[in-house]
Amino acid sequence: MSIVARQRDPNLASIGTCDRRVAGSRGRFRVHSKKRITSFDIAELAGVSQATVSRALRGDPSVSEDTRRRVEAAATTLNYTVDKNASNLRSKLAGTLALLFFDDPTPDDSHINPFFLSMLGSITQACARQGYDLLISFQELGRDWHADFAESKKADGIILLGYGDYLTHASRLEKLRAKGTRLVSWGAVRPDQPCITIGCDNFSGGRAATEHLLDQGCRRIAFLGDASRHFPEFQERYRGHLQALRTRGIVPDDALQVDAESSQSSGRLALKTLMARAEPFDAIFAASDLIAIGAIGALSEHGIDVPFEVAVAGFDDIPMASYVNPPLTTVQQDTRRAGEMLVDSLLRLIHNEPVASRMLPMKLIVRRSSLWQEVPRAESPREA
Amino acid sequence: MSIVARQRDPNLASIGTCDRRVAGSRGRFRVHSKKRITSFDIAELAGVSQATVSRALRGDPSVSEDTRRRVEAAATTLNYTVDKNASNLRSKLAGTLALLFFDDPTPDDSHINPFFLSMLGSITQACARQGYDLLISFQELGRDWHADFAESKKADGIILLGYGDYLTHASRLEKLRAKGTRLVSWGAVRPDQPCITIGCDNFSGGRAATEHLLDQGCRRIAFLGDASRHFPEFQERYRGHLQALRTRGIVPDDALQVDAESSQSSGRLALKTLMARAEPFDAIFAASDLIAIGAIGALSEHGIDVPFEVAVAGFDDIPMASYVNPPLTTVQQDTRRAGEMLVDSLLRLIHNEPVASRMLPMKLIVRRSSLWQEVPRAESPREA
DNA sequence: GACGGACGTGCATACGTATTCATGGATGCT
DNA sequence: AGCATCCATGAATACGTATGCACGTCCGTC
C-alpha cells in the first residue's frame, strides 16, 4: 500500500492537449520506454488503425480476414494482451462473475462447509467454460456486502451461496435489483424468493429419506435441523419428512425435532438434546450430512450402534459421507449440475434472456448407516 | 454474448471536443438519465472538484478533515461507489490477486483435492483480511495460462497452487517474472525453485511419519506416491521416509515404493500393484491422505485389517482423514497459516518489500490407522 | 457508363478516475 | 511588515480500449 503511487504521467508532449492519439504518432515516444504494449503498437506494426486492431481482436465480422490475420500476428509478436480495465471501462462489462459466500452460522475455524466447497468447485469450472472469471468473496450476512461488486463494476453479476434465509434480506436484495444488479441465489426454491433461485428439490429429498427409513422398519424418526423460516432449505426437508410420515399414517411427534445448524458440533449437540428428552427413537434424519456425522459421533459415544440400534440418514452427500463409519445414507445434491445452472442462469440474466428459478432433482444414496443388513432390528424402538 | 453491445455514447454535446469535463457542467446532462453516478456528481453535491473527491475518498492527507466529511456525506447520499475499472486503469493497480489452480493429474469429475480446497478457503480469507479480491481460475498445466491475468491487469499478482513440478515450466515462469509479474507458489521449498515458494517441511513430515510407523514396530514400510522429480513435494516426503529408515539401520527396498498421484483411485491402484509384487509389508506411508484412503479401501477389499495387519499413515490431514475407518494417522499441514503466508508474501512482492521462500513446520497427527491399541501386532510381516 | 450498395477502414471521442501542476490564501519567521 | 512556506484545492489531462460515424473502394446491375 505504501509504495502504491509510483509511476509518473510521461509523454505529455504528444500533440494536442487532449486524450487523443494517432496511430503513427505514438511510436516515437515509446522507443526507449518499456511501457505497456497497447493496441496502438499493434496497429503500427500491422499497419492499421487502433480501431481496427480492437475490432480484429474482438472478432468483429466487419474486419477482413486478411487484416485480422495481420493484426493477430502483430499481437502475437509483441505478446500483446488486452487491458481488461480499459476494456471493461469502455464496454461497461467485466467478464467476471462474483460469488458471495455466506458462512454466517458456523464461523468455526476456517472450515468451510464441504458441500459449499463442492459447489464452489463446480461454479468455478462452469465459469471457466463460459469464459468468465470468478471473483470470490466470503461475507458475513450482516454487512453492506452488496456495494462492492456489481456497483463497482468488478462483476457483471452475483451468485449468492449459503444456507440461510434470503428473505430476511429481501429489502436489500430488492434495492440491488432496482439498481440493475443481476443476481441468482442457491437455496430453497419458493415462490416468495426475492430473486432467481436455483435449488434442489429439498421437499422430495426429505420425503425420500424418511420413506427409506420407514421402509427399514423405523417408526420413531427424529429430525435434526432447524425447521424455522430462517433456514428455508431445512424447512423444506422437514416438510418432506412430515409428509412421508403422514402418508404412512404416522403422527409426527414434535419432541423428535431438534434444531441444529449445519455443523458437526451442532449435530452432536442436537443429539444430546434429543437424548436428554428421554424420547424413544429408532432413526435419525439429519438435515445435513455434517449434522448426521456429528450425531453419529455422539451416538457412538453413548455406545449406541448405528445402524443396528438407530438408523441414520443425512443430506447433501458430501465426500466425507461415504467415508464415515458406517458410510452415511444421504440425499445427494448434484453440485456439478447446480453450479452449471447457477452460472447459466446468471448469464442469461445478464444477457436479458428469460430465466426462471429451477429446482433440481435429488437422489437418495443408500449406504450402511440406515441398513440392517443381515441382522434384524429389535422389535421395539430403543429407549433413550 | 449476443446482446453485449447495447449502450450508446450519449451526451456528446458536452463542451469541448475532448475527454474533459468541468464539475458543474455535468449535471445538466444527467437530470433525466439514470446513468452511473460518478465522482463528478459527488463533487457537485459536495461543492468541490472531482479531483478533491478522488483524494478525499482515497484518504489523501492533503484533504482537510472538513472537506473529507462533506465528500463522504455526499457519496453516502448518492450511494456512490468508485468504478474499479476506471480506478484500476488509471492507477495501474487491480486490488485483486489471482489464484491459479492446477489440478492437472486428476481431472476425475469435478472433485477438487480437499487439501487444496482447504487452502483455497484460507487464501480467500487472508485476501479478504488484506482488502484484496481473489480471482480464481482452474488451469491445466499445459496451456498459456500466464497471459490472462497479470498482463491483462486483472490481478496485481498470482498465486500458484497445485501439486506438481514448477520446474518443468521454469522457462515460462521466468518469462513471467521478466515481465514484472509477481507470483508466489505453494509447493516444495527448494533452492532451485524459480519463484518465491511457501511450503511445508515435507522432508521432516515424511521422516516423522515413518519414524512413527517404525516406533509401532513396523519394519517393511511401503511408500505410495510418485517419487519422481515431477512431484517435488512427494519426492521430499519420500526422502524423509528414506532417511528415517536409514537412521534406524533399515535398508530401503525399492520394491516397496509404488508411484501414485493424489487421488483415491490412484491409491487403490497403487496398493494393488504393491500386492501384485508379492512383497511382504507391514505398513503403508502414503504421500497424501487421498492415496492412503484409497489404499485402505483396497486393503479392506482384500480382507486385510488396518491397523492390525497393516498400519497406515497419510499426509495432509484433510477433513476426511479423521472420519475414515479407521481414522487416519497423518501429517498435518497448517493450511490456515499457509494461506496467510502466501498472501502476505505476494503482497510484499507487490510492494517491493523483501521476501523469501519459507518452509512451514508440520505436525504428526496420530490416529487409529497406525496404532495397535491393545492387540499386539503379529511377529512377522504380512505375506501379500 | 452511372448509380446503389456493401464492405472495410480510419477518425474522433467517451468510459470514470488518479495525479501533476498551478494557484490563492493562510501561516510562520525575522 | 515582508517574504518564504505550506496547505488545500481546482484545472487539466492520461490511462487503453471500444464504437458511432463518415469516407472511400469495388462491385454488380440496368
Side-chain angles (χ1 to χ4, degrees):
Chain A
M1 294 305 214
S2 51
I3 319 195
V4 158
R6 177 85 49 89
Q7 69 287 347
R8 293 291 125 88
D9 279 357
N11 302 352
L12 298 192
S14 232
I15 295 192
T17 56
C18 294
D19 181 4
R20 173 200 315 173
R21 283 144 301 194
V22 184
S25 74
R26 195 94 185 291
R28 278 184 289 152
F29 300 104
R30 293 209 139 228
V31 176
H32 300 295
S33 62
K34 48 180 177 184
K35 282 181 50 191
R36 185 171 221 292
I37 290 177
T38 74
S39 47
F40 286 92
D41 300 293
I42 309 303
E44 190 176 356
L45 182 57
V48 296
S49 72
Q50 180 269 333
T52 299
V53 170
S54 172
R55 282 190 278 250
L57 295 180
R58 294 183 54 78
D60 189 313
S62 75
V63 174
S64 74
E65 200 48 47
D66 180 53
T67 305
R68 184 194 318 287
R69 257 195 290 277
R70 232 172 40 245
V71 169
E72 272 163 3
T76 305
T77 303
L78 296 187
N79 215 333
Y80 168 75
T81 315
V82 172
D83 183 316
K84 288 288 185 185
N85 287 322
S87 170
N88 295 342
L89 171 59
R90 180 59 227 243
S91 65
K92 302 195 163 189
L93 292 174
T96 299
L97 304 182
L99 177 59
L100 298 199
F101 215 115
F102 297 108
D103 213 8
D104 213 33
T106 27
D108 55 340
D109 286 34
S110 63
H111 285 160
I112 310 170
N113 184 317
F115 170 68
F116 289 131
L117 279 184
S118 172
M119 288 289 291
L120 189 155
S122 87
I123 290 173
T124 308
Q125 301 197 342
C127 279
R129 268 197 298 280
Q130 302 276 359
Y132 275 74
D133 288 319
L134 185 65
L135 212 44
I136 300 216
S137 179
F138 284 44
Q139 303 277 340
E140 291 173 38
L141 265 177
R143 281 322 303 156
D144 265 356
W145 44 272
H146 44 66
D148 289 341
F149 290 92
E151 284 179 52
S152 66
K153 297 287 181 198
K154 296 194 78 159
D156 298 318
I158 295 179
I159 298 174
L160 264 30
L161 191 57
Y163 279 128
D165 185 11
Y166 300 120
L167 281 177
T168 310
H169 308 275
S171 66
R172 215 181 315 218
L173 292 185
E174 203 41 63
K175 215 161 109 188
L176 269 185
R177 284 184 62 187
K179 289 192 178 181
T181 303
R182 326 292 187 161
L183 48 83
V184 300
S185 70
W186 169 258
V189 179
R190 300 193 306 188
D192 53 352
Q193 280 297 80
C195 66
I196 296 289
T197 302
I198 307 297
C200 278
D201 188 349
N202 291 293
F203 177 80
S204 301
R207 193 178 51 194
T210 296
E211 279 171 356
H212 165 73
L213 291 172
L214 290 169
D215 289 345
Q216 297 301 306
C218 304
R219 284 300 172 266
R220 289 190 58 78
I221 304 174
F223 180 88
L224 268 42
D226 198 313
S228 74
R229 291 189 64 251
H230 291 292
F231 295 86
E233 289 147 296
F234 285 11
Q235 194 183 7
E236 287 296 296
R237 292 168 196 179
Y238 188 50
R239 288 208 313 113
H241 165 74
L242 293 180
Q243 157 134 7
L245 291 180
R246 293 202 183 99
T247 302
R248 299 285 181 102
I250 298 180
V251 179
D253 181 350
D254 281 351
L256 290 177
Q257 185 268 322
V258 185
D259 282 353
E261 289 169 347
S262 188
S263 75
Q264 289 175 48
S265 52
S266 182
R268 175 177 301 267
L269 204 64
L271 190 100
K272 290 188 190 288
T273 305
L274 177 63
M275 305 259 317
R277 287 185 190 165
E279 287 284 341
F281 62 96
D282 54 12
I284 287 175
F285 172 32
S288 85
D289 284 350
L290 285 180
I291 295 175
I293 291 170
I296 289 178
L299 283 170
S300 95
E301 277 172 23
H302 283 265
I304 301 175
D305 187 82
V306 176
F308 299 116
E309 293 181 85
V310 171
V312 177
F315 210 104
D316 285 348
D317 194 28
I318 62 179
M320 212 188 281
S322 54
Y323 290 98
V324 291
N325 182 29
L328 184 64
T329 290
T330 190
V331 181
Q332 183 178 64
Q333 313 205 48
D334 185 347
T335 55
R336 178 166 200 82
R337 180 107 181 283
E340 275 170 7
M341 295 228 36
L342 281 169
V343 171
D344 286 355
S345 301
L346 184 51
L347 290 182
R348 292 180 73 83
L349 220 47
I350 290 171
H351 298 156
N352 289 318
E353 292 162 19
V355 210
S357 292
R358 290 239 343 231
M359 199 140 78
L360 270 44
M362 320 212 49
K363 193 174 156 194
L364 181 71
I365 307 287
V366 178
R367 298 205 184 92
R368 206 139 50 72
S369 73
S370 66
L371 290 185
W372 283 355
Q373 296 180 303
E374 301 87 63
V375 187
R377 181 177 306 276
E379 206 52 37
S380 63
R382 182 173 196 290
E383 290 287 337
Chain B
M1 294 305 217
S2 52
I3 320 196
V4 157
R6 177 86 48 90
Q7 70 285 346
R8 293 290 125 88
D9 279 357
N11 301 353
L12 297 193
S14 231
I15 294 191
T17 57
C18 294
D19 181 3
R20 173 201 315 174
R21 282 144 302 193
V22 184
S25 74
R26 195 94 185 292
R28 277 182 289 150
F29 300 104
R30 290 207 141 232
V31 176
H32 301 294
S33 63
K34 46 182 176 182
K35 283 182 50 191
R36 184 171 222 293
I37 290 177
T38 73
S39 48
F40 285 92
D41 301 293
I42 309 303
E44 189 176 359
L45 182 58
V48 296
S49 71
Q50 179 269 333
T52 300
V53 171
S54 172
R55 281 190 280 251
L57 295 180
R58 294 184 55 78
D60 189 312
S62 75
V63 174
S64 74
E65 199 47 47
D66 179 54
T67 305
R68 183 193 320 286
R69 257 195 291 276
R70 230 172 41 245
V71 169
E72 272 163 4
T76 304
T77 303
L78 296 187
N79 216 331
Y80 167 75
T81 315
V82 172
D83 184 315
K84 289 288 186 184
N85 287 322
S87 171
N88 295 342
L89 171 59
R90 181 59 227 245
S91 65
K92 302 196 164 188
L93 292 173
T96 299
L97 304 182
L99 177 58
L100 298 200
F101 214 115
F102 296 107
D103 213 9
D104 212 34
T106 27
D108 54 339
D109 286 34
S110 64
H111 286 160
I112 310 171
N113 185 317
F115 170 69
F116 289 132
L117 279 183
S118 172
M119 287 290 291
L120 190 156
S122 87
I123 290 173
T124 307
Q125 301 195 344
C127 278
R129 268 197 298 280
Q130 301 278 358
Y132 275 74
D133 289 319
L134 186 64
L135 212 44
I136 299 215
S137 179
F138 284 43
Q139 304 279 340
E140 290 172 39
L141 266 178
R143 280 323 302 155
D144 267 356
W145 45 273
H146 44 68
D148 289 341
F149 290 91
E151 284 178 51
S152 66
K153 298 288 181 198
K154 295 195 79 159
D156 298 317
I158 295 179
I159 298 174
L160 263 30
L161 191 57
Y163 280 126
D165 185 12
Y166 300 122
L167 282 177
T168 309
H169 308 275
S171 66
R172 216 182 315 218
L173 292 185
E174 203 41 64
K175 214 160 111 188
L176 269 185
R177 285 183 61 188
K179 290 192 178 180
T181 303
R182 327 291 188 161
L183 49 83
V184 300
S185 70
W186 169 259
V189 178
R190 300 194 304 187
D192 54 353
Q193 281 296 80
C195 67
I196 296 289
T197 302
I198 307 296
C200 276
D201 189 348
N202 291 293
F203 177 80
S204 301
R207 194 178 50 195
T210 297
E211 279 170 356
H212 165 72
L213 291 172
L214 290 169
D215 289 343
Q216 297 301 307
C218 305
R219 285 299 171 267
R220 289 191 57 79
I221 306 173
F223 181 88
L224 267 42
D226 198 313
S228 73
R229 291 190 65 251
H230 291 293
F231 294 86
E233 289 148 295
F234 285 12
Q235 193 184 8
E236 287 296 295
R237 292 168 196 178
Y238 187 50
R239 288 208 312 114
H241 166 73
L242 293 180
Q243 157 136 6
L245 291 180
R246 293 203 184 97
T247 303
R248 300 285 181 100
I250 298 180
V251 180
D253 182 350
D254 281 350
L256 289 178
Q257 185 268 321
V258 185
D259 282 354
E261 291 169 346
S262 190
S263 76
Q264 290 174 48
S265 52
S266 182
R268 174 178 302 266
L269 205 62
L271 189 101
K272 291 189 189 288
T273 305
L274 177 62
M275 305 257 318
R277 287 186 191 163
E279 288 284 338
F281 63 96
D282 54 12
I284 286 174
F285 173 31
S288 86
D289 284 350
L290 285 180
I291 295 175
I293 291 169
I296 289 178
L299 282 170
S300 96
E301 277 173 21
H302 283 265
I304 302 175
D305 187 82
V306 176
F308 300 115
E309 293 181 84
V310 172
V312 177
F315 211 104
D316 285 347
D317 194 27
I318 62 179
M320 210 189 282
S322 54
Y323 290 98
V324 290
N325 182 29
L328 184 63
T329 291
T330 188
V331 181
Q332 183 177 63
Q333 313 205 50
D334 185 347
T335 54
R336 178 165 200 82
R337 180 110 180 282
E340 275 171 6
M341 296 227 37
L342 281 169
V343 171
D344 286 355
S345 300
L346 183 51
L347 290 182
R348 293 179 73 82
L349 220 48
I350 290 170
H351 299 156
N352 288 318
E353 292 162 18
V355 209
S357 292
R358 287 232 354 225
M359 200 140 78
L360 271 44
M362 320 212 49
K363 192 173 154 194
L364 182 71
I365 307 287
V366 177
R367 298 204 183 91
R368 206 141 48 74
S369 74
S370 65
L371 290 184
W372 283 356
Q373 296 181 303
E374 301 87 60
V375 186
R377 181 177 304 276
E379 205 52 37
S380 63
R382 181 174 198 292
E383 290 287 338

